[in-house]
Amino acid sequence: MRKYLLWFLLIIILVIRVIYFYKNQPSYPDGTRIRITSRISSEPIRYSSSQFLKLQGFKIYLPSYPEVYYGDQIAVDGTVKDGELKDPKLVGVKESKIFLYSIREQLIDFYQKNLPQPHSSLIAGVTIGSKASIPKDFWEALKKTGTAHVVVASGMNVTLVSQFLISFLALLFPRRRAIPMALMGVWSYAILSGFDAPIIRASIMGSLVFVAQEIGRLNFSLRALFMTAFAMLFVKPDWLTDIGFMLSFAATLSLILFEPKVDRFFKKIPAIIRKDFSTSLAAQVGVVPILYFGFGQFNVLSPVINAMVLWTIVPITIIGMVGGILGLIFEPVGRAVLLLVYPLTSWFVWILRIFN
């Protein structure tokens, strides 16, 4: 009874927080000229003649030059119209001095320098969540085939990083010391990967799992998910209407609830195929309604397509990370490692072209 009362109180607190947030949001009628000063919290998407970003809820298409980057503090003048800042003018840029932001840009440059498109964008997206340089036709193919979710750094990447860190650090330090150090590593990766909703969710959940390991309570996935939702929405209530946030939580909830059942249902399928297919199909249960109402599209073959490409994501992530880090230290070695990923990205691109 007490736990239900606690959840009820948390829901009430969150509702009050959301109402207070939206009630105190400034309202700008269409035609209002405003200036927005804000830090860029996700990487701008670059087109041939513009760069797209969102600041304080407004869609903004800036000229392609000067380029602005994730982490920069910028000031933009423009006219409000239908949720967009029209005729935007960049009036100030304060470049980020945070070390991890610089590392992120260097990694993206390294991938672009050593792999052709769309392979470089694919590995940059999978590894560190960079969407800036994804070619338009490739992005459209990803959306049509229902695979766009795999080319942005996600919970799986956080899981890989956390598992590697805890395994490695546990060899060097007692577990009580290794866990806090692994937590620092996970959150450093979250910053490096763009700090988008899926990454934050996975980082919070990963942190909770580490704590659960320490206190001996592992079986609390659903509670961890809802605790994460509460924390994220309490800090940033406008994520309540963010499609990325919705997709992230719907997919995770569906995996927790349905993946074991789907896996058992298809138990006669070979395990090497069944795992990715079951994961994809279970995730689709939650995301289909959001995709349909949010984008007006859904590919019925998406589970099959995902099953054909999901197996490449783990090796692409690992090789991309290792190659990128080595490339920043000694480029020829990093390039040699990075080339190992080319057959995997080629398979991914080929599958998309078949089903697009």
Side-chain angles (χ1 to χ4, degrees):
M1 183 66 183
R2 288 182 178 178
K3 65 179 181 180
Y4 295 116
L5 179 60
L6 175 61
W7 282 111
F8 178 75
L9 290 175
L10 288 176
I11 292 171
I12 295 298
I13 291 171
L14 184 59
V15 169
I16 294 172
R17 169 71 174 119
V18 171
I19 292 173
Y20 178 82
F21 173 82
Y22 281 104
K23 187 176 180 180
N24 288 276
Q25 286 296 294
S27 178
Y28 301 108
D30 285 355
T32 305
R33 189 77 179 173
I34 64 171
R35 171 172 294 184
I36 295 176
T37 301
S38 180
R39 185 176 298 279
I40 300 175
S41 58
S42 60
E43 191 169 10
I45 298 175
R46 307 192 195 284
Y47 301 107
S48 58
S49 60
S50 64
Q51 46 190 335
F52 169 77
L53 62 154
K54 289 187 74 172
L55 293 177
Q56 298 182 11
F58 289 101
K59 298 177 182 178
I60 302 174
Y61 289 87
L62 289 171
S64 55
Y65 184 84
E67 290 187 342
V68 293
Y69 299 94
Y70 166 60
D72 288 351
Q73 182 89 14
I74 67 172
V76 181
D77 285 347
T79 303
V80 175
K81 185 176 181 181
D82 298 328
E84 186 176 332
L85 209 60
K86 294 289 187 179
D87 303 319
K89 182 180 180 182
L90 185 65
V91 295
V93 179
K94 185 178 180 182
E95 294 184 1
S96 171
K97 302 297 183 182
I98 298 177
F99 175 70
L100 288 174
Y101 292 167
S102 174
I103 293 295
R104 175 185 171 87
E105 294 303 323
Q106 291 179 51
L107 284 172
I108 294 170
D109 289 342
F110 174 74
Y111 295 142
Q112 292 179 344
K113 182 179 177 181
N114 291 285
L115 286 175
Q117 289 286 16
H119 302 265
S120 58
S121 294
L122 175 58
I123 192 171
V126 169
T127 306
I128 56 173
S130 171
K131 302 182 287 291
S133 57
I134 296 178
K136 187 175 181 180
D137 58 340
F138 186 60
W139 181 246
E140 289 300 320
L142 289 166
K143 290 197 296 183
K144 288 179 182 178
T145 55
T147 53
H149 65 96
V150 302
V151 298
V152 291
S154 62
M156 183 187 65
N157 305 65
V158 174
T159 301
L160 286 172
V161 171
S162 61
Q163 288 178 345
F164 169 77
L165 287 174
I166 196 63
S167 299
F168 176 72
L169 292 170
L171 297 175
L172 305 176
F173 305 98
R175 194 169 185 84
R176 282 186 174 273
R177 291 181 61 188
I179 287 178
M181 295 170 71
L183 284 173
M184 291 176 61
V186 165
W187 284 100
S188 296
Y189 176 75
I191 296 172
L192 186 67
S193 299
F195 226 55
D196 286 335
I199 290 291
I200 298 175
R201 172 192 56 76
S203 298
I204 296 175
M205 287 194 69
S207 301
L208 290 172
V209 169
F210 280 145
V211 173
Q213 288 178 333
E214 185 63 24
I215 64 177
R217 297 183 63 185
L218 290 177
N219 190 22
F220 77 140
S221 297
L222 272 176
R223 277 179 288 174
L225 178 63
F226 286 110
M227 288 167 64
T228 302
F230 174 83
M232 293 177 69
L233 291 175
F234 188 85
V235 173
K236 196 171 174 61
D238 56 339
W239 264 336
L240 192 63
T241 57
D242 182 87
I243 293 292
F245 177 87
M246 295 180 195
L247 289 172
S248 172
F249 272 87
T252 305
L253 182 61
S254 296
L255 286 173
I256 293 172
L257 295 177
F258 303 118
E259 198 273 338
K261 297 176 183 177
V262 174
D263 190 68
R264 286 195 298 270
F265 184 81
F266 292 103
K267 61 183 179 181
K268 293 185 178 180
I269 297 177
I272 191 171
I273 300 174
R274 185 179 70 243
K275 185 62 180 175
D276 285 341
F277 181 76
S278 299
T279 299
S280 176
L281 189 60
Q284 300 298 322
V285 174
V287 303
V288 164
I290 300 172
L291 289 172
Y292 182 77
F293 289 106
F295 301 103
Q297 61 181 26
F298 173 69
N299 191 329
V300 294
L301 294 177
S302 179
V304 176
I305 301 170
N306 274 269
M308 297 177 74
V309 299
L310 277 178
W311 66 271
T312 67
I313 300 304
V314 171
I316 287 175
T317 302
I318 294 172
I319 296 171
M321 286 181 178
V322 174
I325 292 170
L326 290 175
L328 298 184
I329 299 171
F330 187 58
E331 187 169 333
V333 175
R335 184 186 303 117
V337 173
L338 192 63
L339 290 176
L340 297 175
V341 86
Y342 195 79
L344 298 172
T345 56
S346 296
W347 168 264
F348 192 108
V349 173
W350 183 65
I351 291 297
L352 258 63
R353 286 174 178 166
I354 289 176
F355 288 95
N356 183 19

